[in-house]
Amino acid sequence: MVDGVTRDGKSYKLVMFDLDDTLAPSKTAMSDEMVELFRELLATSLGCIISGGQYGQFQSQVLDRLGDFPDKANLHLMPTNGTRYVRWSGDDWETVYAEDLSAEQKSLAMAVVEEGARELGLWESKTWGPILEDRGSQVTFSALGQSAPVDAKAAWDPDGRKKESLRAYAAARLPELEVRSGGSTSVDITAKGIDKAFGARRLMEILGLGIDDILFFGDRLDDGGNDRPVADLGIDSVHVHGWEDTYTKLGAVVRG
């Protein structure tokens, strides 16, 4: 049994986080300071990470950094915007569910988002890794490639207008799918109605929690952002601007 945390006089049993630009820079491992604070959190509270990244990113950015900590059972992982749920079985990390797209849905999504990127002048010639990625339960467009450096991604679309133009283009042409802005240069496409709110609802059902039991930290709580559906559920949400901001605000909750 965990005690949970308290913020502004209100108690929460579970703290939920976005990953990229919330717990760590995009596609980058958590810092030593965040690792220490995160371990402190999991010693007293349930924790959940829900992000557009695939499970491999969770492993390299979080699990490899946390190491063999004693409170694995308190950590719940929801890759690809909650279309997957992974938890500690006692021996290993096991997949509880995966809402995969069909081959036809993935093929159409990739075709539409590439067409839109080229038409809007957003298909870049200099990239780091693939621009389009099939993540099983999600198709992801990353303008500069999956492995682009943080500074290049930050400079590509500082006000989010490029990404929003592509999101709107794809959403209009993929009415049967969910299209949302992801990380700093990405657009995520999942099955209709499956977003971070879907993941949050499923987790609440599985763990027997209510909306008032969860506190969420995310950097994309703006309209169209992939963190916004969590806040729209009524879950108390903390808007952060980078992992340093999360570290400060989470530290105030965990350490008082």
Side-chain angles (χ1 to χ4, degrees):
M1 195 70 178
V2 294
D3 296 325
V5 299
T6 301
R7 180 175 184 265
D8 295 336
K10 183 175 178 181
S11 296
Y12 302 93
K13 295 178 182 177
L14 182 142
V15 186
M16 180 177 282
F17 303 88
D18 172 50
L19 178 50
D20 283 346
D21 298 318
T22 297
L23 286 177
S26 181
K27 306 292 195 302
T28 304
M30 287 200 301
S31 68
D32 290 343
E33 301 97 319
M34 186 62 83
V35 166
E36 182 180 355
L37 179 60
F38 206 71
R39 283 175 176 163
E40 289 180 35
L41 168 70
L42 293 175
T44 61
S45 173
L46 298 176
C48 173
I49 301 173
I50 184 167
S51 171
Q54 59 184 325
Y55 177 71
Q57 290 175 229
F58 283 59
Q59 195 162 29
S60 62
Q61 292 179 255
V62 179
L63 295 181
D64 289 350
R65 294 289 289 124
L66 289 174
D68 188 21
F69 65 105
D71 303 298
K72 294 186 182 73
N74 287 342
L75 179 57
H76 303 268
L77 305 175
M78 306 196 89
T80 48
N81 287 314
T83 59
R84 292 178 182 269
Y85 171 40
V86 180
R87 66 184 176 193
W88 182 248
S89 68
D91 299 305
D92 204 351
W93 295 97
E94 65 173 7
T95 298
V96 178
Y97 71 74
E99 300 287 345
D100 287 340
L101 293 169
S102 69
E104 293 77 13
Q105 287 174 317
K106 289 185 285 189
S107 178
L108 177 60
M110 286 187 171
V112 167
V113 77
E114 179 173 346
E115 175 187 83
R118 292 186 183 279
E119 187 173 316
L120 296 168
L122 304 179
W123 191 266
E124 301 290 342
S125 56
K126 180 182 179 181
T127 61
W128 293 262
I131 293 175
L132 292 172
E133 187 177 10
D134 174 0
R135 297 180 175 177
S137 52
Q138 177 178 293
V139 167
T140 295
F141 166 90
S142 298
L144 300 179
Q146 299 297 327
S147 304
V150 173
D151 57 347
K153 290 196 286 189
W156 184 75
D157 187 24
D159 61 6
R161 291 184 183 181
K162 292 180 180 179
K163 202 169 40 170
E164 173 54 26
S165 67
L166 181 57
R167 186 208 66 77
Y169 179 101
R173 291 160 177 80
L174 297 168
E176 301 304 315
L177 296 174
E178 199 75 47
V179 185
R180 291 196 176 273
S181 296
S184 53
T185 64
S186 65
V187 172
D188 298 325
I189 302 171
T190 63
K192 193 69 175 177
I194 298 184
D195 53 20
K196 289 188 179 181
F198 169 86
R201 284 193 297 265
R202 287 293 301 272
L203 190 64
M204 285 189 287
E205 291 170 5
I206 292 168
L207 299 182
L209 300 176
I211 286 173
D212 291 339
D213 293 322
I214 301 175
L215 177 66
F216 176 69
F217 287 78
D219 72 306
R220 291 302 317 277
L221 289 163
D222 52 291
D223 287 339
N226 66 356
D227 293 329
R228 182 60 178 264
V230 179
D232 287 345
L233 269 183
I235 290 173
D236 288 345
S237 300
V238 182
H239 195 183
V240 297
H241 304 279
W243 76 266
E244 298 94 340
D245 191 27
T246 303
Y247 180 80
T248 298
K249 292 173 178 175
L250 179 61
V253 172
V254 174
R255 294 169 177 166

